[in-house]
């Protein structure tokens, strides 16, 4: 499945490369039924016209810069809703009708499902080695299944800890380097400022955050063996993580609330929530949504279970794919390559507003660093921190084929746990059991480990 095989490497001896046979077998069946009549890359007179759908901010500016600097390819951009707000459905419906755009954006967790549905084109041969070699291997692993690449990573978002430096300093609370210290700091903060909590446990969107915590701890929710998908959202690392956050919640050390809600933002602004565990992208989001926090916030590495063996997971991040419907896949790949690797593309994107998304091409970090005013974080070299953490991303994770269903079920359970009904581990177990019928309906062989 979502293969973790690095292109050109043997899969031998690497658990993470264990087969994507199940996905590819089904994909072959799906593609066999797909029309290939739109697969021609024949170029007529005049520039090739491409269509591009994305919900990413700054996409229009990037397209404008591409069109300004290129004569043989012209791109028409269409802003679409973000995935959970309708973008995924729009792309699925268009692909089903044979009218998908040439290029589209999709997040990492949804890519396996879209691949099974036959939306992206296999770009293994289209993708230039010069591009492949520039991308952080951990990012490329998440878009490469059993040696076949289906999307180009745009950004990769190592999880970090954003915290209120002023509150931690005033109360002489150490910035936690381990999860044990995180719990101790949470208790100290509650004692020093009874209305403040160190972070939030999210109900809406919480399953993907819980996935990030479990990933860092060594969990493997999805795996494959031959033609069979193996699911286990109840493995030992997951139980450790679920038990840890359950204790934080039971002891009232974290705030339980919907992610990205006005309520949560208000708590960040007031200092009643003094920390935020999230992907690197959140640094820019914090600047935009909480401008009064300028000079108050700082960023630290994600706490570790074992500091001697630091591991990092991701939260957020997107990819670009060439759809099966594209009439001009070579030109679409050229457009994507430019967007992902060109300093001009990144500058255009950053010109549209503040963004701390960590580029999948590490050589672009100096561009991102130069373009971003980090006075909000008191001049901290946040991109230097992100780069160090990105290199620690554990290449062991696989997303499942129906993560939308999995996370929806998980979020329902987390909301109930937050309301005192059930617990976090039960929420994850229920998410697994409720996902199974969806996977079987795809014709997949599925088992639990």
């Amino acid at each position: 499945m979502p293969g973790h095989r690095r292109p050109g490497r043997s899969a031998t001896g690497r658990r993470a490369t264990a087969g994507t046979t199940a996905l590819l077998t089904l994909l072959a069946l799906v593609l066999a039924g797909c029309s290939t009549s739109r697969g021609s890359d024949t170029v007529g007179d005049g520039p090739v016209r491409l269509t591009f759908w994305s919900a990413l901010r700054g996409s229009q500016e990037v397209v404008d810069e591409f069109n300004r600097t290129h004569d043989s390819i012209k791109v028409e951009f269409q802003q679409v809703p973000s995935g959970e707000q309708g973008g995924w459905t729009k792309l699925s419906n268009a692909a089903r009708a044979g009218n998908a755009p040439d290029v589209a954006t999709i997040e990492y967790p949804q890519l396996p499902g879209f691949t099974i549905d036959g939306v992206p084109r296999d770009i293994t041969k289209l993708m230039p080695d010069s591009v492949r070699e520039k991308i952080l291997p951990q990012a490329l692993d998440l878009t490469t299944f059993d040696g076949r690449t289906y999307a180009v990573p745009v950004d990769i978002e190592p999880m970090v800890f954003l915290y209120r430096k002023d509150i931690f300093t005033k109360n002489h609370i150490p910035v936690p380097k381990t999860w044990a210290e995180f719990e101790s700091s949470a208790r100290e903060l509650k004692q020093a400022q009874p209305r403040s909590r160190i972070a939030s446990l999210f109900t809406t969107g919480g399953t993907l955050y819980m996935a990030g915590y479990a990933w860092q701890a060594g969990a493997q929710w999805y795996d494959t063996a031959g033609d069979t998908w193996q699911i286990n959202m109840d493995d030992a690392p997951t139980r450790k993580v679920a038990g840890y956050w359950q204790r934080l919640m039971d002891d009232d050390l974290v705030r339980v609330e919907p992610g990205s809600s006005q309520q949560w933002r208000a708590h960040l602004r007031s200092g009643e929530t003094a920390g935020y565990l999230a992907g690197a992208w959140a640094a820019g989001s914090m600047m935009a949504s909480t401008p009064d926090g300028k000079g108050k916030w700082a960023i630290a590495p994600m706490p570790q279970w074992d500091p001697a063996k630091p591991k990092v997971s991701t939260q957020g991040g997107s990819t670009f794919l060439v759809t099966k419907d594209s009439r001009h896949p070579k030109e679409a790949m050229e457009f994507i390559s430019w967007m992902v690797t060109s300093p001009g593309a990144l500058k255009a994107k950053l010109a549209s507003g503040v963004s701390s998304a960590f580029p999948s091409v590490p050589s672009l970090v100096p561009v991102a660093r130069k373009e971003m005013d980090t006075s909000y974080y008191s001049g901290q070299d946040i991109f230097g921190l992100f780069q160090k953490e990105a290199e620690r991303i554990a290449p062991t994770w696989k997303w499942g084929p129906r993560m939308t269903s999995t996370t929806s079920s998980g979020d329902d359970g987390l909301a109930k746990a937050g309301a005192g009904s059930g617990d976090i581990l039960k929420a994850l177990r229920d998410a697994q059991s409720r996902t199974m019928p969806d996977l079987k309906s795809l014709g997949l062989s599925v088992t639990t480990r």
Side-chain angles (χ1 to χ4, degrees):
M1 175 19 290
H4 293 265
R5 178 184 302 176
R6 296 179 186 182
R9 286 191 178 187
S10 167
T12 304
R14 294 195 62 189
R15 178 174 177 272
T17 67
T20 55
T21 308
L23 183 151
L24 293 175
T25 299
L26 181 62
L27 179 60
L29 294 173
V30 172
L31 297 185
C34 293
S35 168
T36 58
S37 61
R38 301 193 65 194
S40 170
D41 61 352
T42 301
V43 180
D45 294 336
V48 170
R49 303 282 178 179
L50 299 178
T51 53
F52 172 40
W53 289 4
S54 179
L56 295 179
R57 186 174 54 77
S59 293
Q60 183 64 66
E61 287 79 0
V62 172
V63 169
D64 291 344
E65 179 65 12
F66 181 86
N67 287 337
R68 187 183 72 81
T69 56
H70 292 72
D71 295 326
S72 61
I73 304 172
K74 295 298 179 184
V75 179
E76 180 181 343
F77 171 64
Q78 182 177 141
Q79 187 85 32
V80 297
S82 64
E84 59 189 9
Q85 296 173 356
W88 298 330
T89 300
K90 182 179 177 69
L91 180 60
S92 292
N93 290 341
R96 195 172 294 118
N99 294 319
D102 296 281
V103 177
T105 306
I106 199 76
E107 294 81 358
Y108 290 100
Q110 278 67 45
L111 182 60
F114 274 86
T115 303
I116 284 178
D117 292 342
V119 176
R121 181 180 293 263
D122 179 350
I123 57 171
T124 307
K125 294 183 179 179
L126 280 174
M127 189 174 181
D129 289 341
S130 59
V131 173
R132 188 182 299 275
E133 292 165 356
K134 292 179 180 178
I135 297 174
L136 191 74
Q138 291 96 324
L140 200 56
D141 280 350
L142 292 170
T143 64
T144 302
F145 312 144
D146 202 24
R148 314 302 297 179
T149 302
Y150 290 90
V152 183
V154 184
D155 56 344
I156 183 86
E157 305 296 341
M159 290 194 80
V160 293
F161 178 48
L162 293 83
Y163 67 99
R164 280 286 298 267
K165 182 177 61 176
D166 59 329
I167 293 176
F168 275 67
T169 300
K170 181 181 71 175
N171 294 298
H172 307 289
I173 298 172
V175 180
K177 296 180 180 177
T178 67
W179 287 112
E181 292 177 0
F182 187 86
E183 182 174 346
S184 297
S185 295
R187 295 184 186 282
E188 290 181 42
L189 176 61
K190 181 182 177 183
Q191 184 172 17
Q193 295 189 184
R195 292 177 61 87
S196 293
R197 299 294 180 271
I198 195 169
S200 296
L201 172 67
F202 296 122
T203 49
T204 304
T207 305
L208 288 178
Y209 283 88
M210 202 55 64
Y213 304 143
W215 175 350
Q216 184 205 24
Q220 184 69 70
W221 285 2
Y222 288 88
D223 203 346
T224 55
D227 291 340
T228 300
W229 280 86
Q230 297 181 324
I231 307 177
N232 189 356
M233 297 176 67
D234 183 25
D235 58 11
T238 301
R239 290 198 297 275
K240 178 172 70 174
V241 166
Y244 176 85
W245 282 92
Q246 186 69 44
R247 184 169 65 252
L248 295 183
M249 184 171 68
D250 291 344
D251 291 353
D252 191 25
L253 299 177
V254 292
R255 204 172 296 285
V256 181
E257 55 193 349
S260 302
S261 63
Q262 292 186 0
Q263 171 188 353
W264 168 65
R265 292 286 181 194
H267 288 141
L268 290 177
R269 286 193 290 271
S270 67
E272 290 177 286
T273 298
Y276 179 27
L277 293 154
W281 63 270
S285 176
M286 183 72 76
M287 294 168 64
S289 65
T290 317
D292 292 345
K294 184 175 181 178
K296 299 177 181 177
W297 286 86
I299 305 177
M302 193 172 178
Q304 294 292 325
W305 292 105
D306 182 357
K309 300 176 181 177
K311 295 180 180 177
V312 175
S313 54
T314 74
Q315 190 263 326
S318 297
T319 72
F320 290 138
L321 55 85
V322 180
T323 72
K324 285 294 295 181
D325 293 335
S326 176
R327 296 177 185 274
H328 307 293
K330 291 181 180 178
E331 289 76 12
M333 189 68 232
E334 182 178 340
F335 172 53
I336 291 175
S337 297
W338 181 86
M339 285 198 292
V340 171
T341 66
S342 167
L346 183 56
K347 287 181 181 178
K349 175 184 175 183
L350 296 176
S352 70
V354 175
S355 172
S356 61
F358 186 77
S360 63
V361 173
S363 62
L364 291 179
V365 169
V367 177
R369 180 186 284 129
K370 182 179 179 181
E371 295 296 318
M372 186 172 188
D373 176 6
T374 59
S375 59
Y376 187 92
Y377 297 100
S378 305
Q380 181 181 2
D381 180 13
I382 61 173
F383 277 98
L385 170 63
F386 298 158
Q387 185 164 20
K388 184 177 180 181
E389 295 304 290
E391 293 169 354
R392 291 174 169 171
I393 294 172
T396 56
W397 187 259
K398 302 174 183 180
W399 292 110
R402 281 296 181 264
M403 287 308 300
T404 302
S405 172
T406 303
T407 56
S408 176
S409 298
D411 286 359
D412 288 344
L414 290 175
K416 292 177 181 176
S421 175
D423 54 45
I424 294 173
L425 186 57
K426 183 178 186 304
L428 298 178
R429 286 171 171 165
D430 287 350
Q432 172 179 307
S433 63
R434 292 175 185 173
T435 301
M436 295 288 281
D438 286 344
L439 302 188
K440 291 178 179 178
S441 70
L442 292 171
L444 296 174
S445 173
V446 186
T447 186
T448 56
R449 286 183 279 123

